Amino acid sequence: MSEQKLDSTASVSNDRPVAVQVEKGKTYFWCSCGKTQSVPFCDGSHQGTRYQPLKYTATEDKTEHFCGCSGTGNKPFCDGTHQFKFGGGRDEYYSRYD
């Protein structure tokens, strides 16, 4: 897993993955700056930073686990990075929020 460096304009918006039921063909914009109030999706709070939202279009109806801490190496999906930032185990987080 590669280390991601956050600059002073970035902040952490959540300490866990966010389960979202996505719809086939629908487009979602994942927040990469960590400033959003609508975790895990962009609300425009990145204005004035170097960050841009990541566009994701669902290829099927299913539950996706989007990264809430903005530290994932598998954008826009959770890769367990939050467990290193906030403690706890990956399985523990998933079992609480599924």
Side-chain angles (χ1 to χ4, degrees):
M1 181 182 315
S2 63
E3 181 180 329
Q4 180 174 351
K5 295 179 182 175
L6 299 176
D7 69 19
S8 61
T9 62
S11 65
V12 175
S13 55
N14 204 340
D15 67 348
R16 61 180 172 85
V18 181
V20 176
Q21 182 65 38
V22 298
E23 299 174 31
K24 181 179 180 178
K26 186 173 178 181
T27 299
Y28 302 84
F29 290 89
W30 175 76
C31 171
S32 65
C33 74
K35 293 179 175 282
T36 187
Q37 296 299 305
S38 56
V39 176
F41 301 116
C42 178
D43 67 2
S45 294
H46 64 275
Q47 298 299 322
T49 73
R50 66 180 177 93
Y51 295 93
Q52 294 295 315
L54 181 74
K55 181 179 177 180
Y56 165 74
T57 302
T59 57
E60 60 183 303
D61 292 342
K62 67 179 183 176
T63 300
E64 290 284 17
H65 290 88
F66 287 88
C67 174
C69 75
S70 301
T72 185
N74 186 29
K75 297 175 184 178
F77 306 111
C78 177
D79 69 357
T81 298
H82 61 274
Q83 68 185 326
F84 297 108
K85 290 180 166 185
F86 305 105
R90 181 176 185 269
D91 293 337
E92 175 187 313
Y93 279 91
Y94 279 113
S95 67
R96 286 193 301 180
Y97 301 105
D98 269 343

